[in-house]
Amino acid sequence: MKTYQYRDLSVIELPDALLITACDSSGGVGEKPGDELCVATKYISIFAARVCLFELLACGARIIGLSNTIVGEMEPTGAALIAGIREELERAGIGDLPINGSTEENFKTCMTGFGIFVMGMAERLRITPSVSGDVVICIGKPKFGAALVVDGDPEIADYQDLQTLVEHPGVNEIIPCGSKGILYEATNLATIHQCQFQTVSNDLNVVDSAGPATTVIASIKPLALPELAAVFRDKMTVIGHLK
């Protein structure tokens, strides 16, 4: 059995399939007295679940399981975090996914701590290696902090956008963008394939954080550009190409 890492994912080769896992965590963010940043508790798990789900779905995985670790009591902290997970699973169209997890009931905690682990299965990773000449597009506008509303914001990437990219034969690689920003992910993509990323003028903030996968970049074959532009319209921005 071979195990390796692809970007932020761990991949385990089984005899007939791949088991792919993603994880995320946070600490000091929430509604407890010791938290550094005061945020409604459910948003912690919403954002963490979104990041893991986007990473797995972008490589063609089918989500099969989810576990969470809650450094606090079930009521009210744990219940709010689990509600946030359920809310995001509903957005992803997998609201019936079983959730396993653990809480801290022995000791009183004064700071919120949360971890999430998501598993997916695939016959193969949905990756066609990027090559020189590929166009790099971005779906959605980067948002984080107070500017971010995950439910119903038409300007950020959603699960249908991701599915459209996954199913399109002209799309090579799909990469959700997070706190390191769009430019970082595009440059890293180019470097992996011994290319350079050549930017083109656009109106996006490609340097600052893109929050919890509010945007998705993709390397695409040039011939696919007109069709994808017609599908995504104003939600799509050409940010550069590989050379």
Side-chain angles (χ1 to χ4, degrees):
M1 183 173 63
K2 181 180 177 182
T3 302
Y4 57 93
Q5 188 169 350
Y6 170 73
R7 296 180 55 81
D8 293 330
L9 301 173
S10 293
V11 183
I12 303 169
E13 292 186 353
L14 303 177
D16 299 316
L18 300 176
L19 175 63
I20 312 164
T21 67
C23 63
D24 198 17
S25 65
S26 71
V29 181
E31 298 177 274
K32 286 183 173 289
D35 287 330
E36 294 285 332
L37 179 63
C38 183
V39 173
T41 303
K42 77 168 186 175
Y43 288 107
I44 300 166
S45 55
I46 285 175
F47 294 159
R50 176 184 169 91
V51 168
C52 292
L53 292 171
F54 264 58
E55 288 175 347
L56 287 165
L57 294 171
C59 73
R62 175 176 59 87
I63 309 301
I64 62 168
L66 185 153
S67 296
N68 66 85
T69 53
I70 297 167
V71 188
E73 74 296 336
M74 175 59 80
E75 294 292 346
T77 302
L81 289 166
I82 293 169
I85 295 171
R86 282 284 178 214
E87 190 174 315
E88 192 61 22
L89 291 176
E90 288 289 344
R91 269 190 283 272
I94 49 175
D96 58 347
L97 186 75
I99 297 176
N100 188 21
S102 177
T103 59
E104 175 55 75
E105 304 297 340
N106 294 309
F107 302 100
K108 184 177 181 180
T109 58
C110 62
M111 182 182 293
T112 305
F114 176 74
I116 189 169
F117 178 81
V118 186
M119 295 179 290
M121 294 286 290
E123 293 183 1
R124 64 177 182 84
L125 294 180
R126 193 262 178 242
I127 303 168
T128 302
S130 302
V131 297
S132 179
D134 279 357
V135 177
V136 182
I137 62 172
C138 180
I139 307 301
K141 293 184 178 180
K143 296 187 179 184
F144 65 98
L148 176 58
V149 179
V150 294
D151 191 9
D153 187 339
E155 292 188 327
I156 67 172
D158 59 33
Y159 290 97
Q160 182 55 58
D161 297 332
L162 192 57
Q163 188 64 25
T164 298
L165 291 172
V166 168
E167 294 177 352
H168 198 288
V171 174
N172 289 335
E173 293 186 77
I174 306 164
I175 302 171
C177 298
S179 60
K180 293 179 180 178
I182 295 168
L183 181 61
Y184 171 88
E185 297 295 354
T187 302
N188 189 51
L189 170 67
T191 301
I192 290 172
H193 298 287
Q194 292 78 52
C195 293
Q196 290 183 325
F197 175 64
Q198 182 67 53
T199 61
V200 298
S201 179
N202 63 80
D203 295 329
L204 296 181
N205 182 342
V206 298
V207 178
D208 289 347
S209 172
T214 59
T215 66
V216 176
I217 64 169
S219 61
I220 68 169
K221 299 175 176 64
L223 289 176
L225 184 58
E227 183 178 348
L228 290 170
V231 171
F232 289 112
R233 303 170 69 85
D234 292 342
K235 205 169 186 178
M236 188 185 96
T237 304
V238 176
I239 61 170
H241 61 270
L242 302 183
K243 69 172 186 176

